[in-house]
Amino acid sequence: MNTPPTTGALNASSPSRLPVGIMAICGGAIAFDGYDIVVYGTTLSRLRDEWGLTSGQAGNIGSAALVGMFLGALVVGTFTSRWGRKRTFLACVTWFSVLMVLCAAAPGPEFFAVVRFLAGIGLGGVMPLAAAFTTEFAPRDRAAVAYVIMQSGYPVGGVAASLLAKWIIPEFSWHWMYLIAALPLITVLPAAWRWLPESAEEQSVAASREERRDAARAGLRAIFAPGIRTTTVMFWVMSFCSLLFVYGANTWLPTLMQDDGRGFSSSLNFLLCFNLGAIVG
């Protein structure tokens, strides 16, 4: 007989309660995920001046983290099947936090771009894991609400990056913005280690590789079935265009406003409002 989830689940199986503890841990990780992406936009004007970046170089550096996120989201399932969901989550948080410290110590744009790409792998891995934890332990009839609340951590991280940049960059330097990104090592990581439960699936008998492979094939057949495949492709296109705008705005908005004659602090207000609107949305 399988043992029930640990107290870290915070009575997630109760039909009347959301998994507050799990939402807080996963939402915190997603908030730093958002911070780590948006922080580049808050520091871009200073990096451009210090390193003499062209617009093309700045765009390539900004894309490096996103390419890493794409790769991380693709490969995280492989590591989850080997290490379990909780260990993989802890590894991803540790990975991107340490690498963000290296961003602060970057001597030039080439090193910075490589480290941002590597950090992006961890950032991309955290997102599906946080979603899986939240929806698995939420009451079935409130899983969507739990997911939306948890995912709102992303623009919260963007708001934090905008507010902190208005004070830290003029008073200190852009390097400190990336050092702050290491805070999950002393906040999210210990809480996840202590209270994040193992997946209920991992507490059961593990499925064979053949069964998992068959399940994956069945899922692909389902989303590309006649009458569904057009919806699947259009959903992908819609998601791509939405993310293109969101990541593009978070990267370029402050710099575009400065190029238009706005001051540094004023330019960050646009990024702040953009992410405040995302929270409400």
Side-chain angles (χ1 to χ4, degrees), residues 160-225:
S162 303
L163 289 174
L164 287 171
K166 289 165 68 69
W167 166 58
I168 288 177
I169 294 179
E171 293 294 328
F172 301 97
S173 71
W174 63 265
H175 302 82
W176 282 94
M177 292 297 295
Y178 293 91
L179 289 175
I180 291 172
L183 284 176
L185 293 174
I186 59 174
T187 55
V188 175
L189 195 65
W193 181 276
R194 174 64 179 85
W195 289 298
L196 199 64
E198 294 289 352
S199 170
E201 297 174 357
E202 292 157 10
Q203 295 173 355
S204 308
V205 178
S208 66
R209 290 184 179 180
E210 291 76 14
E211 290 173 333
R212 291 196 297 268
R213 190 179 298 113
D214 290 343
R217 290 172 178 169
L220 288 174
R221 286 194 297 268
I223 62 176
F224 285 107

Side-chain angles (χ1 to χ4, degrees), residues 92-144:
C92 287
V93 172
T94 303
W95 177 262
F96 74 68
S97 299
V98 171
L99 285 163
M100 291 300 289
V101 175
L102 294 181
C103 286
E110 294 80 10
F111 181 88
F112 186 85
V114 171
V115 176
R116 287 284 290 174
F117 165 75
L118 294 174
I121 295 175
L123 295 171
V126 162
M127 299 187 86
L129 291 172
F133 270 118
T134 301
T135 55
E136 177 182 350
F137 289 99
R140 185 168 299 179
D141 60 340
R142 305 184 73 184

Side-chain angles (χ1 to χ4, degrees), residues 226-248:
I228 299 295
R229 63 172 67 100
T230 300
T231 302
T232 296
V233 172
M234 292 305 297
F235 183 81
W236 287 356
V237 171
M238 178 187 70
S239 298
F240 175 85
C241 293
S242 298
L243 292 174
L244 181 67
F245 170 73
V246 169
Y247 288 128

Side-chain angles (χ1 to χ4, degrees), residues 40-171:
Y40 177 68
T42 69
T43 61
L44 177 55
S45 62
R46 299 302 172 93
L47 293 175
R48 189 174 61 171
D49 293 340
E50 182 172 325
W51 290 336
L53 300 176
T54 65
S55 295
Q57 289 173 322
N60 289 336
I61 293 174
S63 299
L66 303 180
V67 174
M69 289 180 69
F70 174 74
L71 180 61
L74 288 178
V75 304
V76 70
T78 300
F79 289 98
T80 300
S81 64
R82 296 179 179 178
W83 298 348
R85 192 177 290 168
K86 180 176 180 177
R87 289 182 180 179
T88 305
F89 182 89
L90 295 173
C92 287
V93 172
T94 303
W95 177 262
F96 74 68
S97 299
V98 171
L99 285 163
M100 291 300 289
V101 175
L102 294 181
C103 286
E110 294 80 10
F111 181 88
F112 186 85
V114 171
V115 176
R116 287 284 290 174
F117 165 75
L118 294 174
I121 295 175
L123 295 171
V126 162
M127 299 187 86
L129 291 172
F133 270 118
T134 301
T135 55
E136 177 182 350
F137 289 99
R140 185 168 299 179
D141 60 340
R142 305 184 73 184
V145 174
Y147 172 79
V148 169
I149 295 174
M150 180 277 298
Q151 193 64 30
S152 296
Y154 190 94
V156 169
V159 168
S162 303
L163 289 174
L164 287 171
K166 289 165 68 69
W167 166 58
I168 288 177
I169 294 179
E171 293 294 328

Side-chain angles (χ1 to χ4, degrees), residues 42 45-46 165-166 169-170 258 262-269:
T42 69
S45 62
R46 299 302 172 93
K166 289 165 68 69
I169 294 179
Q258 286 187 72
R262 301 276 180 172
F264 178 74
S265 181
S266 176
S267 69
L268 289 172
N269 288 336

